[in-house]
Amino acid sequence: MHLIGKKVQIRNFEDRDFEIFFSIVSNKENHDKSGIEYQPDESKARLLFESYKKVETSDVIADSNNNMVGIIELNERGLSDGLIDTREIGFIIADKFRQKGYATEAMRLMVEYSDANGIRELWAAVKPGNELPKIIIKKFGFEYVYQVSEDILNPFDESKLVDYYLRNKL
């Protein structure tokens, strides 16, 4: 994917992105707040990075100089008739690039892309205490729908709760 905005672009992963990728996945707080993989071991993180490079639904959020600032994903929710035109969006910005508008513009680009490509529903999963992504997604018409545990064997573990938001195509 390659989408270009005023101060960000969404593009495929490149080898030069590993340093920022590692800063994201080696931060335990990022895992706790967003659910992204936690991998503090650099060699294992490099294997994870190689996997991200191959996945068509995961992309880099890059600044206007084409330097990685975060990750954005637009994942399928299923392939049955009722889910074929739905996606789940998620994003994370590296610590040193937060509060600069990158996530908001990346979301705008992905919402516009989804609308132009027949995506009827966009879903977003946000951990209950992670307030900034909620503010961003609500700017694009996402509304809270339900809360569910990611752990079906222990649904009462509050650390596994996720709030789901939906944006219906207008």
Side-chain angles (χ1 to χ4, degrees):
M1 179 176 299
H2 196 210
L3 305 174
I4 300 174
K6 292 178 184 171
K7 57 192 240 184
V8 304
Q9 57 182 299
I10 296 173
R11 61 164 173 78
N12 295 331
F13 280 86
E14 299 172 359
D15 289 337
R16 67 191 180 101
D17 299 324
F18 179 73
E19 181 181 342
I20 298 299
F21 178 85
F22 184 58
S23 77
I24 292 170
V25 300
S26 64
N27 182 327
K28 179 80 163 75
E29 186 177 337
N30 287 339
H31 169 74
D32 294 342
K33 282 189 169 184
S34 74
I36 194 163
E37 296 86 356
Y38 172 60
Q39 187 47 259
D41 180 283
E42 188 171 345
S43 62
K44 291 179 182 174
R46 190 159 298 276
L47 294 173
L48 181 61
F49 178 72
E50 292 302 320
S51 295
Y52 266 77
K53 285 172 47 180
K54 295 174 186 171
V55 176
E56 292 183 18
T57 59
S58 296
D59 291 290
V60 164
I61 301 170
D63 65 14
S64 59
N65 294 318
N66 202 22
N67 296 311
M68 181 180 185
V69 299
I71 300 168
I72 194 159
E73 298 182 339
L74 191 62
N75 296 309
E76 293 177 341
R77 290 181 48 92
L79 296 176
S80 66
D81 286 344
L83 296 175
I84 198 76
D85 58 355
T86 68
R87 298 290 184 276
E88 184 173 326
I89 193 165
F91 60 88
I92 187 163
I93 303 294
D95 287 347
K96 66 183 181 179
F97 301 111
R98 291 183 181 159
Q99 301 289 316
K100 297 182 179 180
Y102 294 131
T104 300
E105 186 169 351
M107 276 293 297
R108 180 186 59 76
L109 289 170
M110 288 300 255
V111 165
E112 289 172 357
Y113 171 85
S114 297
D115 286 350
N117 286 281
I119 304 303
R120 180 178 45 86
E121 293 179 350
L122 269 181
W123 289 84
V126 183
K127 297 270 187 168
N130 200 1
E131 297 304 318
L132 284 176
K134 291 178 186 181
I135 291 168
I136 292 168
I137 65 174
K138 287 178 180 178
K139 290 178 183 179
F140 298 96
F142 283 79
E143 295 179 0
Y144 175 82
V145 179
Y146 62 87
Q147 186 176 74
V148 67
S149 175
E150 295 176 304
D151 186 347
I152 60 171
L153 298 177
N154 185 10
F156 306 106
D157 180 351
E158 290 189 16
S159 70
K160 303 290 185 179
L161 294 176
V162 178
D163 294 336
Y164 273 88
Y165 291 78
L166 171 64
R167 178 187 182 270
N168 284 302
K169 185 172 180 181
L170 305 174

